[in-house]
């Protein structure tokens, strides 16, 4: 609790400094709403970077559980990456088309690290799965008509592969995006779904890949959630929510573009 209070105080101080800078600039030459967003966004980004790097440093300093902490550190790096990406996109919106794909590549890697973190918390997965064989998992809609899923090593391997395929496909799509943007800007205009251009097909493949990854991620949690009961409820809930939120946010953004 003390750490959270300290981080909150640091963030409030940064916001106060940003507001003072914004007022000073506004009194001299005026400041548009977008300009205020840049100033305040910078303060929030710096606060997020400060807090995340402090937590990363503490994990590396007290590296007592390497099998778990190495994955935690990888996941925590998403905070400064998202903060820098968001602020850079505010400062130079035209650069976001080149920055965001590389952020997405690391996010795909973080999803894989998240699965490995769950397995590290559990321990010997092969010894645990036979105990879960009598706890079949019902399929979620629209696949609820299928027979319940029996947790075993084969099922877990397939679910892991479902998450890992996104980690492999996303960097490949980033390479294609970069090539199209450099070769012919008109053939790859982000946000415009035109089936005579490459962007529509990249979005289609990405949507399928993210759907499969989300499906695998949710079922991995449904299978293992009772074995993760020793982790505090807020930590478990926030971790799962963050991983699912990242993929659902992207799916909603893509579906809006497709239906536009």
């Amino acid at each position: 609790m003390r750490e959270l209070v300290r981080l909150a105080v640091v963030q409030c101080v940064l916001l106060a400094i940003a507001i003072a800078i914004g007022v000073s600039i506004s009194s001299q030459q005026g400041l548009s709403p977008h300009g205020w967003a840049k100033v305040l966004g910078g303060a929030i980004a710096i606060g997020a970077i400060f807090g995340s790097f402090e937590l990363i440093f503490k994990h590396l300093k007290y590296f007592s559980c390497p099998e778990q902490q190495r994955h935690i550190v990888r996941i925590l790096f998403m905070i400064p990456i998202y903060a820098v990406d968001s602020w850079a996109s505010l400062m130079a919106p035209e650069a976001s088309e080149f920055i965001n794909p590389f952020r997405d590549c690391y996010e795909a890697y973080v999803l894989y690290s998240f699965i490995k973190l769950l397995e590290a918390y559990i321990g010997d997965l092969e010894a645990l799965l036979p105990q879960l064989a009598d706890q079949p998992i019902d399929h979620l809609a629209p696949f609820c008509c299928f027979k319940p899923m029996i947790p075993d090593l084969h099922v877990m391997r397939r679910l892991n592969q479902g998450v890992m395929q996104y980690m492999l496909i996303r960097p490949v799509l980033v390479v294609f995006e970069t090539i199209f943007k450099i070769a012919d800007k008109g053939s790859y205009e982000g946000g415009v779904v035109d089936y005579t251009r490459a962007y529509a097909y990249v979005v289609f493949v990405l949507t399928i890949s993210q759907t499969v990854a989300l499906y695998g991620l949710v079922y991995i949690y449904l299978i293992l959630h009772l074995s993760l009961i020793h982790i505090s409820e807020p930590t478990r809930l926030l971790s799962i929510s963050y991983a699912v939120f990242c993929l659902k946010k992207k799916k909603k953004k893509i579906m809006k573009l497709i239906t536009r």
Side-chain angles (χ1 to χ4, degrees), residues 148-182:
M149 185 185 302
I150 306 299
D152 57 22
L153 196 58
H154 174 75
V155 168
M156 289 299 299
R157 186 180 296 114
R158 289 290 180 263
L159 293 175
N160 273 297
Q161 290 171 349
V163 177
M164 288 180 62
Q165 56 81 28
Y166 177 62
M167 185 185 73
L168 300 175
I169 288 176
R170 191 62 185 112
V172 173
L173 292 179
V174 166
V175 172
F176 277 108
E177 290 175 29
T178 306
I179 292 173
F180 284 124
K181 288 174 183 176
I182 294 174

Side-chain angles (χ1 to χ4, degrees), residues 179-252:
I179 292 173
F180 284 124
K181 288 174 183 176
I182 294 174
D184 184 4
K185 176 67 176 178
S187 69
Y188 194 93
E189 186 177 353
V192 177
V193 179
D194 182 349
Y195 292 101
T196 62
R197 299 179 180 181
Y199 178 77
Y201 299 97
V202 170
V203 167
F204 177 77
V205 174
L206 186 59
T207 302
I208 298 298
S209 177
Q210 289 174 342
T211 301
V212 173
L214 180 60
Y215 182 89
L217 185 66
V218 169
Y219 276 101
I220 287 173
Y221 175 69
L222 290 177
I223 291 172
L224 301 179
H225 74 283
L226 291 178
S227 303
L228 298 170
I229 203 70
H230 61 283
I231 306 173
S232 66
E233 183 66 28
T235 302
R236 190 169 69 250
L237 181 60
L238 288 174
S239 300
I240 297 294
S241 299
Y242 171 75
V244 173
F245 167 76
C246 288
L247 281 177
K248 288 184 71 176
K249 178 190 67 173
K250 285 183 168 33
K251 282 191 64 183
K252 287 181 179 179

